[in-house]
Amino acid sequence: MRLASRFVVASLPLALPLLFSACSPNRPADTANAPANAPGANTPAATTPASGPMKVALLVAGPISDAGWNASAYEGLQAIKKKYGAEVTTQQTKSPGEFEGAFRDFAQRGYQLVFAHGNEYGDAAVRVAKAYPKTVFAISSGGVSAPNVVSMVFDLGQATYLCGELGALMSKTGKLGCVGGVEIPSVKSTFISFEGGAKAAKPSTKVSNVYIGNWEDQSAGKQATVALINSGADFIFHNADQAGLGVIQAIRENKAKGVYGFGSNKNQNSLAPEVILASAVLDVPKAFLTVADEVKTGTVKGGPQYLGMKEGVVSLAWNEALKSRIPAAVLKRVQADEAAIVAGKLVNIPRGTL
């Protein structure tokens, strides 16, 4: 989902234990594995049903202790391990210069499937994939296509639209805020949808967006949130990975001012159940398992896979502990729109590039 993404972070009490392990150093390119005539995108990749234990790798650009984006990818990897008894490994990349080397390393070591959790990995995957047709590269929030490159396109904006609608209908100031890590298309699109939902509910609502320029700095996330609150915003949405924990902390500390927030990517309601009304959730494990199933059976196809609420990959997780604070008419309206999105009947949601 990210470009210029996710690196290392100081921990807060909210953060989860760091659980990832690094893969072995990069190796020289294996020119003997070059393809002959690769098929076009959206046709079956040059793979056969996987026999024996699958080997599946995951690349992330930030710590899997973020309770959000990267943590969900790690859970997806573990779900594949549980279902197939797969051999799995995780590597945190520190910079874009490491992408190609990591891809090549895993392909040379016989990994049938390599997940790269962020759209920043897309171009490198396409370049490497040509030389390794027996490896499938799956890019989260990707925008690329190749015979053995799958782009999982998550429409999280369907859920953030509902968050914006809920915030606008409950706001006492008419001001909402969004805190992002880095201003990239897939994050910006969730903010566009959030504002779209807010203005659909109340056209006069003002939404301010702030990007802190990284995914790890919880202090910066907290400071940006405090600034938004001081300017009048009383409902805050974040899409900032580990830095988002700082956003949640700031919202919690300003509870007395009537400030509420929304979780992002994972169900984060339990991180601050007294102030998070709902979370815009991606079921990344379900998406990962879908691709793994296709690799296992030899039916995987390159190109985009669009995944939203209708497909059961995106959802709005309500915080049951706070539902009583939502006016009945507001809850009824938002839930009606939620049902319409799931049914494919509400399709005019503003969004940027997914």
Side-chain angles (χ1 to χ4, degrees), residues 71-130:
S72 65
Y74 184 79
E75 290 176 4
L77 188 68
Q78 296 306 305
I80 295 171
K81 178 180 180 179
K82 181 178 180 180
K83 180 173 183 177
Y84 288 115
E87 176 185 332
V88 300
T89 189
T90 305
Q91 178 180 353
Q92 181 180 340
T93 54
K94 301 293 184 179
S95 69
E98 297 180 23
F99 296 170
E100 285 197 31
F103 283 137
R104 291 184 187 278
D105 178 51
F106 286 125
Q108 289 162 8
R109 291 193 281 143
Y111 280 76
Q112 295 105 328
L113 177 58
V114 180
F115 288 99
H117 201 46
N119 66 1
E120 67 267 36
Y121 292 98
D123 291 340
V126 170
R127 289 193 295 269
V128 173
K130 296 177 182 179

Side-chain angles (χ1 to χ4, degrees), residues 64-339:
I64 58 171
S65 60
D66 65 356
W69 175 253
N70 295 304
S72 65
Y74 184 79
E75 290 176 4
L77 188 68
Q78 296 306 305
I80 295 171
K81 178 180 180 179
K82 181 178 180 180
K83 180 173 183 177
Y84 288 115
E87 176 185 332
V88 300
T89 189
T90 305
Q91 178 180 353
Q92 181 180 340
T93 54
K94 301 293 184 179
S95 69
E98 297 180 23
F99 296 170
E100 285 197 31
F103 283 137
R104 291 184 187 278
D105 178 51
F106 286 125
Q108 289 162 8
R109 291 193 281 143
Y111 280 76
Q112 295 105 328
L113 177 58
V114 180
F115 288 99
H117 201 46
N119 66 1
E120 67 267 36
Y121 292 98
D123 291 340
V126 170
R127 289 193 295 269
V128 173
K130 296 177 182 179
Y132 302 98
K134 294 183 179 180
T135 298
V136 173
F137 301 87
I139 312 301
S140 299
S141 295
V144 295
S145 294
N148 56 327
V149 177
V150 177
S151 286
M152 297 175 290
V153 185
F154 304 131
D155 195 355
L156 187 63
Q158 292 179 334
T160 65
Y161 177 91
L162 298 172
C163 291
E165 186 177 34
L166 178 60
L169 292 170
M170 290 186 65
S171 175
K172 295 180 179 179
T173 65
K175 296 180 180 181
L176 314 182
C178 295
V179 179
V182 178
E183 187 174 358
I184 59 171
S186 54
V187 173
K188 188 176 180 179
S189 70
T190 63
F191 291 177
I192 290 173
S193 297
F194 181 86
E195 183 172 3
K199 289 189 175 297
K202 283 190 175 180
S204 61
T205 302
K206 295 182 179 180
V207 180
S208 299
N209 301 329
V210 178
Y211 294 90
I212 64 173
N214 67 81
W215 308 105
E216 313 83 38
D217 192 340
Q218 296 178 32
S219 178
K222 181 178 179 179
Q223 291 173 11
T225 305
V226 169
L228 286 170
I229 293 170
N230 289 341
S231 70
D234 55 357
F235 285 80
I236 310 290
F237 173 73
H238 82 87
N239 199 341
D241 294 356
Q242 190 87 354
L245 298 177
V247 175
I248 293 172
Q249 185 180 36
I251 295 170
R252 172 187 272 164
E253 292 176 358
N254 284 273
K255 174 187 173 183
K257 295 180 180 180
V259 178
Y260 290 92
F262 302 97
S264 177
N265 293 299
K266 279 178 63 67
N267 185 340
Q268 298 182 322
N269 298 342
S270 63
L271 295 181
E274 69 276 28
V275 292
I276 300 181
L277 283 174
S279 291
V281 179
L282 286 177
D283 190 345
V284 174
K286 181 175 183 178
F288 276 27
L289 277 171
T290 297
V291 176
D293 290 344
E294 294 171 351
V295 171
K296 186 68 175 177
T297 59
T299 58
V300 66
K301 296 181 179 181
Q305 292 189 8
Y306 292 94
L307 304 166
M309 296 185 84
K310 187 175 182 180
E311 292 76 24
V313 171
V314 173
S315 64
L316 183 68
W318 293 90
N319 181 358
E320 296 297 330
L322 293 182
K323 262 191 174 181
S324 62
R325 300 189 189 182
I326 303 174
V330 172
L331 183 61
K332 182 178 180 179
R333 169 174 173 161
V334 178
Q335 288 184 321
D337 284 345
E338 178 184 12

Side-chain angles (χ1 to χ4, degrees), residues 10-48:
S11 63
L12 276 181
L14 290 172
L16 302 178
L18 189 62
L19 299 173
F20 68 90
S21 61
C23 75
S24 65
N26 300 331
R27 303 181 183 182
D30 180 2
T31 56
N33 196 21
N37 295 306
N42 292 308
T43 60
T47 60
T48 56

